[in-house]
Amino acid sequence: MRLRNLVFLGIPTVILWVVGIFILGIFLIKWFWMWTVPGLFPGAVAAGLVAEKISWWTALKLSVLVALLAAITHVSKD
């Protein structure tokens, strides 16, 4: 289904973009965590201080946090 067809169904394009960005953000955060954190902090992962993998729920919360920080940064620009 094309984006134009979804817009004709009454779904605003902005909502589709926001949902798409959050879904992409969740995948990117999970991928980044899985490949970066164990490589950079193997001692902390082995000691159980940092999780080796994160859940989808945690990735969603991190994605929302990153989006809020980006929005604050964008709004506070001079």
Side-chain angles (χ1 to χ4, degrees):
M1 184 176 283
R2 292 185 175 175
L3 181 62
R4 147 182 88 180
N5 295 342
L6 292 174
V7 173
F8 286 141
L9 289 174
I11 301 173
T13 308
V14 174
I15 292 175
L16 292 174
W17 277 105
V18 169
V19 169
I21 288 170
F22 276 118
I23 291 172
L24 179 64
I26 291 168
F27 281 110
L28 288 176
I29 287 172
K30 280 190 70 70
W31 176 78
F32 178 77
W33 192 280
M34 179 180 66
W35 288 99
T36 307
V37 171
L40 291 176
F41 308 108
V45 171
L49 299 174
V50 178
E52 184 175 1
K53 293 182 180 180
I54 58 174
S55 68
W56 291 102
W57 178 244
T58 304
L60 173 66
K61 291 188 288 186
L62 286 172
S63 179
V64 169
L65 177 66
V66 169
L68 287 174
L69 292 175
I72 290 170
T73 303
H74 180 70
V75 169
S76 65
K77 286 191 327 187
D78 289 330

